[in-house]
Amino acid sequence: MSRAAIRRWEYRTLRPPRDETKKEAQNPQDALNEYGDDGWELVETIEYTGGGTKYLVFKRPAESADSSDEE
């Protein structure tokens, strides 16, 4: 497979908002919709030991220097 044919990804994480009790009490819907509008797809959650979501992991295709030549 040629190097140009390899799909490249970029990743981003979001820490879900938490209230004073450190529980995930706030709804992250607005942030998730913003990420989705920017082309990010949720692919994984990373949990704290003992429970609770520490990070939401997103990915989207990375723009390569070659793609700007195609436009």
Side-chain angles (χ1 to χ4, degrees):
M1 179 181 290
S2 73
R3 186 163 176 85
I6 297 173
R7 171 144 317 198
R8 304 217 182 273
W9 300 97
E10 61 180 326
Y11 294 87
R12 185 172 204 180
T13 59
L14 171 69
R15 212 174 248 243
R18 303 183 326 174
D19 65 12
E20 302 81 38
T21 65
K22 304 299 182 196
K23 303 258 187 226
E24 294 142 300
Q26 298 177 15
N27 187 342
Q29 181 175 335
D30 290 340
L32 292 170
N33 282 328
E34 287 178 27
Y35 276 41
D37 287 344
D38 289 337
W40 295 100
E41 176 183 6
L42 178 66
V43 294
E44 183 73 48
T45 59
I46 298 173
E47 308 293 324
Y48 284 104
T49 302
T53 303
K54 187 172 187 176
Y55 292 105
L56 303 173
V57 181
F58 298 82
K59 76 174 185 179
R60 69 178 177 187
E63 294 183 22
S64 67
D66 296 336
S67 65
S68 62
D69 295 337
E70 295 173 4
E71 296 179 338

